[in-house]
Amino acid sequence: MIFSELKEGSISLRYGENPHEKAWVYGEPAFQLLHEGRRISYNNLLDADAAWAVAQHLKDIAPFGAVALKHQTPCGVAVADTPEEAVRKAIDADAESAYGGILAVNFPFTLSVAKSYKKYLEVIVAPEFTEEALAYLRKKKVRLIVPSRYDAFVGKPAFGALVVSERILPPLEFQLQVGKPISDDVVMDMKLAYVAVEGAKSNAIVIVKNSVTVGIGTGQPSRKRSAWIATTLAGDKAHGAVAASDAFFPFPDGLEILAEAGVSVVVAPLGSKRDNEVLKRAEELGITFYSASSRVFRH
Amino acid sequence: MIFSELKEGSISLRYGENPHEKAWVYGEPAFQLLHEGRRISYNNLLDADAAWAVAQHLKDIAPFGAVALKHQTPCGVAVADTPEEAVRKAIDADAESAYGGILAVNFPFTLSVAKSYKKYLEVIVAPEFTEEALAYLRKKKVRLIVPSRYDAFVGKPAFGALVVSERILPPLEFQLQVGKPISDDVVMDMKLAYVAVEGAKSNAIVIVKNSVTVGIGTGQPSRKRSAWIATTLAGDKAHGAVAASDAFFPFPDGLEILAEAGVSVVVAPLGSKRDNEVLKRAEELGITFYSASSRVFRH
């Protein structure tokens, strides 16, 4: 087994993805574990990494960004003008799912932020915790992580080998293909949707309105199905909202589901044989369609 | 970066999870690549591994087992008395999703099997391909993989380290908790549902009827949501069907969604604070509830 050539780090895990499975951490994770209210687990480590990557990607969109995550897939992603609002929006986006979840933010975690939510969280990841926040949070069962600078990679074992890929968020620059240009606020929502869809499991469709995710369709074998899940979860909030797709629409059907729910702006990469058909349909449906430079699958 | 300590194998990838990302294969995958109709990709390798693991797990359930898979999550899993029937059922279980997907089987792939389906597949994984099947399939754009014996591991990079877990399917032995004992055919469906849910991304709920998956709810931050997706996809086929959950029900709500759709048998691990409440509700709903020995998360 190839991993055994690597040196184990100082973190030892009680068990793996499930209690009957053993697990190992090779190398030292580039972070400080400031508090371990309960011993950190295999799933905590992977969830924290997944949430942190998305939180980092929110940096250029708005002053403050927050990500609530479960099972390595975001359940709420938000940006805001204040730290407290970003956290509240990210958690409230899917409050039921966020219970026992991971929260990652791209700003220093203060006592005011720590007191601004009630939800039980398993892990909080932030670039910094203030002394006061630490004193408060250390009484709780949460794990607190401060990452060091690191380059993101993804990958998995396959057939005894290890398959690894870079993880690179493409520039948040989109080209208008059909429809009317949009306001700066909607551009912000579009950037947020694309960052969130990059962090969700493929196939993924994410709907955003007013700087927060309102419907995340993720982990599906069909894009159409992710569109159905995202729009169903969004409900009325899909009206006038922005949707991002992590890869091109192979057919117009996914787009039609989004339009039917009231989505008015879509961002997705092109590259399908049926791009022309998809764009023509967008025009007919009154959807403003922006193209992204690249597919952003994650698994 | 820890991976660079490992030796790269002979497979070089054109790109990673997405076209703008570089990728590497460390070590030699324990398989023979018998045909590479198109160059094998990062996603092909991980999909093939995910499908093969599930196909292997079907071995003791029925004579022949097949798995159709997309985006590292099964879209159709079936067992049958003939190879052709297993393949047909696995592909037809979610025919739309299976297009461009991966097929893994646990039996020798013959010409008759190769001719028994029309669907375009990206990869086929089998313990053996007959000469005639090979001659036929080599004219197609498919990749053909014959795995060697290997021990399954899962894991991912996190914060620059590598986190790895064993992947062990618990014994397919379930304990009756409430309700009436079930027939041997339904026991077979229950085993199939548990194997399929082990291979689906968490949270996962899988519904099986007549030896094939009829609804796969996967990749969701809430178990209730996976129950909703699985039952919606199953439709009328949920009547009298078996459902498996990859972890305990934290509340009775997921169970209620399954019962409402007509599911009559549920298998899930116990371990929730509310186990008694969940089992009592199963009894009230007329559901036969079997417990599994362990949680089977996958991500």
Side-chain angles (χ1 to χ4, degrees), chain B residues 191-242:
Chain B
K191 290 179 178 179
L192 178 58
Y194 189 68
V195 164
V197 90
E198 189 271 350
K201 286 185 188 161
S202 305
N203 292 316
I205 298 273
V206 171
I207 303 176
V208 166
K209 193 167 184 185
N210 299 333
S211 315
V212 60
T213 52
V214 295
I216 299 180
T218 181
Q220 299 305 306
S222 122
R223 185 157 305 282
K224 214 169 105 180
R225 197 165 302 160
S226 288
W228 161 62
I229 294 169
T231 52
T232 307
L233 296 175
D236 287 346
K237 291 178 185 158
H239 286 285
V242 176

Side-chain angles (χ1 to χ4, degrees), chain B residues 120-285:
Chain B
Y120 165 62
L121 299 171
E122 289 232 334
V123 183
I124 303 172
V125 193
E128 185 187 333
F129 292 85
T130 66
E131 285 299 324
E132 296 76 16
L134 265 184
Y136 176 79
L137 290 167
R138 279 188 168 140
K139 294 175 196 146
K140 296 180 185 279
K141 285 178 175 168
V142 70
R143 295 89 170 167
L144 304 180
I145 288 176
V146 173
S148 322
R149 183 172 167 65
Y150 83 108
D151 297 319
F153 287 87
V154 291
K156 286 185 178 180
F159 299 102
L162 179 67
V163 186
V164 175
S165 168
E166 294 178 320
R167 176 177 187 169
I168 298 173
L169 180 73
L172 300 180
E173 291 157 13
F174 312 116
Q175 300 297 319
L176 181 62
Q177 298 290 333
V178 304
K180 289 170 289 194
I182 56 180
S183 70
D184 286 353
D185 278 358
V186 180
V187 169
M188 190 164 78
D189 282 355
M190 186 161 65
K191 290 179 178 179
L192 178 58
Y194 189 68
V195 164
V197 90
E198 189 271 350
K201 286 185 188 161
S202 305
N203 292 316
I205 298 273
V206 171
I207 303 176
V208 166
K209 193 167 184 185
N210 299 333
S211 315
V212 60
T213 52
V214 295
I216 299 180
T218 181
Q220 299 305 306
S222 122
R223 185 157 305 282
K224 214 169 105 180
R225 197 165 302 160
S226 288
W228 161 62
I229 294 169
T231 52
T232 307
L233 296 175
D236 287 346
K237 291 178 185 158
H239 286 285
V242 176
S245 171
D246 64 355
F248 62 66
F249 289 93
F251 300 93
D253 52 8
L255 207 61
E256 286 163 2
I257 294 171
L258 296 172
E260 175 74 24
V263 167
S264 57
V265 180
V266 169
V267 59
L270 296 175
S272 161
K273 276 186 260 179
R274 296 188 183 79
D275 276 352
N276 285 340
E277 196 185 327
V278 168
L279 291 174
K280 188 166 164 280
R281 194 75 186 108
E283 199 154 28
E284 287 165 6
L285 294 165

Side-chain angles (χ1 to χ4, degrees), chain A residues 1-3 5-7 13 15-31 42-50 52 70-75 94 96-97 99 125 145 147-148 150-151 153-170 198 201-203 216-225 228-229 232-233 246 253 273 294-299, chain B residues 1-3 5-7 13 15-31 42-50 52 70-75 94 96-97 99 125 145 147-148 150-151 153-170 198 201-203 216-225 228-229 232-233 246 253 273 294-299:
Chain A
M1 181 49 55
I2 186 166
F3 319 116
E5 294 170 24
L6 297 171
K7 208 179 279 181
L13 299 170
Y15 56 81
E17 195 161 21
N18 300 293
H20 65 286
E21 295 162 338
K22 274 185 261 178
W24 304 266
V25 180
Y26 297 103
E28 296 291 348
F31 65 47
Y42 171 94
N43 290 310
N44 288 161
L45 284 168
L46 299 188
D47 281 348
D49 182 89
W52 175 245
K70 278 287 268 292
H71 291 285
Q72 295 174 34
T73 208
C75 57
D94 183 355
E96 193 176 47
S97 296
Y99 179 85
V125 194
I145 290 177
S148 322
Y150 82 108
D151 298 320
F153 288 87
V154 291
K156 285 185 178 180
F159 299 104
L162 177 67
V163 186
V164 175
S165 168
E166 295 177 320
R167 175 176 188 171
I168 299 172
L169 181 74
E198 190 271 349
K201 287 187 187 160
S202 304
N203 291 315
I216 299 180
T218 182
Q220 300 305 306
S222 124
R223 184 158 306 282
K224 215 168 102 181
R225 196 164 302 161
W228 160 62
I229 295 169
T232 306
L233 296 175
D246 65 355
D253 52 8
K273 278 186 260 178
S294 184
R295 184 179 90 186
V296 283
F297 279 164
R298 292 294 160 232
H299 293 97
Chain B
M1 182 47 56
I2 187 166
F3 319 118
E5 293 170 24
L6 297 171
K7 207 179 279 181
L13 298 170
Y15 57 80
E17 195 161 20
N18 299 293
H20 66 286
E21 295 163 339
K22 275 186 262 179
W24 303 266
V25 181
Y26 296 103
E28 297 291 349
F31 65 47
Y42 172 95
N43 290 310
N44 288 160
L45 285 168
L46 298 188
D47 282 347
D49 181 88
W52 176 245
K70 279 285 268 291
H71 290 285
Q72 297 175 32
T73 208
C75 57
D94 183 356
E96 194 176 47
S97 296
Y99 179 86
V125 193
I145 288 176
S148 322
Y150 83 108
D151 297 319
F153 287 87
V154 291
K156 286 185 178 180
F159 299 102
L162 179 67
V163 186
V164 175
S165 168
E166 294 178 320
R167 176 177 187 169
I168 298 173
L169 180 73
E198 189 271 350
K201 286 185 188 161
S202 305
N203 292 316
I216 299 180
T218 181
Q220 299 305 306
S222 122
R223 185 157 305 282
K224 214 169 105 180
R225 197 165 302 160
W228 161 62
I229 294 169
T232 307
L233 296 175
D246 64 355
D253 52 8
K273 276 186 260 179
S294 184
R295 185 178 90 186
V296 283
F297 278 165
R298 293 292 162 231
H299 295 97

Side-chain angles (χ1 to χ4, degrees), chain B residues 56-67:
Chain B
Q56 292 287 97
H57 291 163
L58 299 173
K59 268 182 177 170
D60 299 324
I61 300 179
F64 302 96
V67 180

